[in-house]
Amino acid sequence: MDKVVFEKESHTYRLGGRIIPSVTTIMRPLSDAVYGKISPKVLAKKAEKGTAIHQAIDHYILFNVFDPEYEHEIRQFIKFLEDKKFSVAMSEIVMCDGQYAGTADMILKDQKGRLHLYDLKTTTVIHRELVAVQLAGYKLLAQNEGIEIYQCGVLWLRPGKEYASAPIAPKIRVWRKLLNEYTNKVNEH
């Protein structure tokens, strides 16, 4: 089977030249219900900052490089790992099952060797329902890759504040419903 290719600039996944929908695309009806009334300019600016923080943390994980602009967030990430006694098993994991694709933020390993799938959020508010559905999509992709996830959770990093984290039960049924609706809609055209 071909390897999925992620094109960052357009946020597009391709498998054998074919465009594959992302977890984000499939979740759009839920996301629009939550964020639909917020100005697209505001959302774009917040998304850009969130992406920059993700990249800074990923560079720290991969290269032990501190981006001074996001030192607070990186230090909070380190504190989270230390407090929970996690180590990073994988970060920014691009996965695909042929039907959809996504990039999970991180898979962490606890002291017993169990794997935890965590999503990193920098939003003003955590929308647990959205995160639970998003994590369901990623958890199923991880399982398809042979990665057994013990628990899912969210890590919330906010400027100038302590991190917050919580386990989140993935909403598999809701995810599958959204995926079926998306697939049916595409097949109608």
Side-chain angles (χ1 to χ4, degrees):
M1 186 170 162
D2 291 329
K3 184 170 171 49
V4 68
V5 175
F6 178 57
E7 299 169 0
K8 277 189 179 182
E9 297 76 35
S10 62
H11 195 84
T12 303
Y13 295 88
R14 292 184 187 275
L15 184 64
R18 185 179 66 135
I19 293 178
I20 302 291
S22 68
V23 169
T24 306
T25 298
I26 294 165
M27 286 187 58
R28 189 148 295 129
L30 275 183
S31 301
D32 286 351
V34 172
Y35 296 115
K37 295 185 183 194
I38 299 172
S39 154
K41 279 185 180 178
V42 170
L43 285 175
K45 187 175 179 184
K46 296 280 186 185
E48 188 177 305
K49 175 137 185 178
T51 298
I53 292 169
H54 274 77
Q55 287 174 342
I57 288 174
D58 200 44
H59 283 126
Y60 170 76
I61 291 168
L62 295 173
F63 311 113
N64 202 27
V65 172
F66 256 80
D67 181 333
E69 187 173 350
Y70 302 109
E71 182 176 350
H72 172 77
E73 289 84 353
I74 294 168
R75 290 203 184 281
Q76 287 302 302
F77 172 70
I78 294 166
K79 186 174 183 333
F80 161 74
L81 292 177
E82 290 170 350
D83 289 351
K84 302 296 182 186
K85 297 182 178 18
F86 282 144
S87 62
V88 178
M90 296 178 248
S91 68
E92 296 297 314
I93 312 107
V94 177
M95 300 177 286
C96 179
D97 69 358
Q99 190 175 15
Y100 71 97
T103 303
D105 290 340
M106 63 188 85
I107 295 178
L108 306 171
K109 188 182 287 191
D110 67 21
Q111 289 185 313
K112 293 182 179 179
R114 299 175 299 199
L115 298 177
H116 300 252
L117 174 64
Y118 265 76
D119 196 64
L120 173 64
K121 295 296 182 196
T122 60
T123 52
T124 306
V125 174
I126 295 292
H127 297 281
R128 289 181 71 93
E129 176 79 15
L130 287 179
V131 177
V133 175
Q134 181 183 20
L135 286 168
Y138 294 145
K139 181 177 182 180
L140 292 172
L141 286 174
Q143 286 175 339
N144 185 65
E145 302 271 336
I147 303 167
E148 203 53 47
I149 300 299
Y150 174 72
Q151 187 176 55
C152 295
V154 63
L155 171 60
W156 190 20
L157 299 178
R158 300 162 293 166
K161 296 185 179 179
E162 291 282 313
Y163 78 84
S165 70
I168 299 217
K171 299 225 172 188
I172 303 285
R173 222 178 286 154
V174 176
W175 168 256
R176 287 191 170 129
K177 182 177 183 270
L178 283 171
L179 180 59
N180 286 336
E181 288 170 0
Y182 179 87
T183 302
N184 291 340
K185 191 174 180 180
V186 168
N187 289 337
E188 287 175 4
H189 293 114

